[in-house]
Amino acid sequence: KQEVTQIPAALSVPEGENLVLNCSFTDSAIYNLQWFRQDPGKGLTSLLLIQSSQREQTSGRLNASLDKSSGRSTLYIAASQPGDSATYLCAVVWSPGGTSYGKLTFGQGTILTVHP
Amino acid sequence: KAGVTQTPRYLIKTRGQQVTLSCSPISGHRSVSWYQQTPGQGLQFLFEYFSETQRNKGNFPGRFSGRQFSNSRSEMNVSTLELGDSALYLCASSYGQGNTEAFFGQGTRLTVV
């Protein structure tokens, strides 16, 4: 069964700390992996998309890596700020035969709190 | 460039009624997918439409249905509502081929009483 797991479920850090969120997936035949952020009661905001042929992507203070062989992705947030407080979700599109386009399988998310 | 628009934002319905939710994708996107988000189950895939055809379907009962129009706008319908259908319903749009980066709307909060 194709599943996505995120650890930890919750994380609380002081402002300014660098942190890593983890995402693991059970099947290495992925098409891409996408990281999202969700604020309470709101929709999802796309942070980074990593195609299966890529090893990492960067946007500002965010860096996401992908290791298909080990079934893992990490989201690195540098110099965290209170405004980074949100739920972070990773989602995988698998591509057995190319029929999984548009179907995202999500992890349960990591609730991040950055306190001043 | 306008984002994904979902209407209405909030709905309160009674058990047994039916409801229709709407999603307008980003201009040029041909894929629209729908997700149900609940505190207990997280985000679960309902179905995906591409160029008016359902391309993928999740494990939900037949009470959940959808369609996509020629302008890529999509609607989702839930018939015979149950209390357990209370959730945040999110839709996402993407180009659907090649670049499949998904962009989400703000969601429709459905409460069934």
Side-chain angles (χ1 to χ4, degrees), chain A residues 57-94:
Chain A
Q57 281 283 6
T58 298
S59 176
R61 294 183 294 109
L62 305 179
N63 175 277
S65 68
L66 175 65
D67 183 344
K68 287 194 301 179
S69 62
S70 65
R72 291 182 184 177
S73 176
T74 61
L75 179 67
Y76 175 83
I77 303 177
S80 58
Q81 303 170 358
D84 294 330
S85 298
T87 297
Y88 289 80
L89 295 145
C90 78
V92 171
V93 174
W94 274 286

Side-chain angles (χ1 to χ4, degrees), chain A residues 31-32 34 38 46 101 104, chain B residues 35 37 48 56 98 100-102:
Chain A
Y31 185 76
N32 64 41
Q34 199 168 350
Q38 185 176 31
S46 178
Y101 294 158
L104 290 159
Chain B
Y35 298 84
Q37 186 176 32
E48 184 227 0
N56 277 299
T100 61
E101 184 173 6

Side-chain angles (χ1 to χ4, degrees), chain B residues 66-83:
Chain B
R67 58 178 175 169
Q68 186 180 34
F69 302 95
S70 59
N71 61 358
S72 293
R73 188 178 71 85
S74 177
E75 287 182 348
M76 188 191 101
N77 184 76
V78 188
S79 63
T80 318
L81 284 166
E82 301 177 358
L83 295 179

Side-chain angles (χ1 to χ4, degrees), chain A:
Chain A
K1 186 180 178 185
Q2 294 168 330
E3 294 181 335
V4 179
T5 304
Q6 290 187 248
I7 295 174
L11 183 63
S12 181
V13 300
E15 182 176 5
E17 193 162 295
N18 301 326
L19 57 99
V20 173
L21 307 180
N22 296 293
C23 172
S24 61
F25 44 92
T26 55
D27 183 344
S28 62
I30 70 170
Y31 185 76
N32 64 41
L33 184 147
Q34 199 168 350
W35 283 93
F36 295 90
R37 141 182 199 146
Q38 185 176 31
D39 294 291
K42 300 292 181 62
L44 278 62
T45 300
S46 178
L47 297 174
L48 289 165
L49 171 76
I50 309 178
Q51 302 286 359
S52 63
S53 59
Q54 298 175 318
R55 295 298 301 270
E56 67 177 329
Q57 281 283 6
T58 298
S59 176
R61 294 183 294 109
L62 305 179
N63 175 277
S65 68
L66 175 65
D67 183 344
K68 287 194 301 179
S69 62
S70 65
R72 291 182 184 177
S73 176
T74 61
L75 179 67
Y76 175 83
I77 303 177
S80 58
Q81 303 170 358
D84 294 330
S85 298
T87 297
Y88 289 80
L89 295 145
C90 78
V92 171
V93 174
W94 274 286
S95 58
T99 59
S100 295
Y101 294 158
K103 177 183 177 181
L104 290 159
T105 300
F106 284 87
Q108 289 295 317
T110 294
I111 302 171
L112 173 65
T113 303
V114 181
H115 48 88

Side-chain angles (χ1 to χ4, degrees), chain B residues 12-89:
Chain B
I12 299 176
K13 290 286 187 178
T14 304
R15 272 183 303 173
Q17 287 187 313
Q18 75 165 15
V19 66
T20 299
L21 312 182
S22 179
C23 175
S24 293
I26 291 171
S27 178
H29 285 188
R30 294 163 64 190
S31 168
V32 173
S33 48
W34 290 87
Y35 298 84
Q36 181 195 66
Q37 186 176 32
T38 59
Q41 298 297 318
L43 276 150
Q44 292 188 290
F45 172 77
L46 282 155
F47 30 65
E48 184 227 0
Y49 287 85
F50 178 78
S51 293
E52 301 180 67
T53 301
Q54 187 181 84
R55 194 162 61 169
N56 277 299
K57 189 177 190 305
N59 295 322
F60 278 81
R63 300 185 297 107
F64 292 81
S65 63
R67 58 178 175 169
Q68 186 180 34
F69 302 95
S70 59
N71 61 358
S72 293
R73 188 178 71 85
S74 177
E75 287 182 348
M76 188 191 101
N77 184 76
V78 188
S79 63
T80 318
L81 284 166
E82 301 177 358
L83 295 179
D85 297 333
S86 295
L88 180 65
Y89 290 88

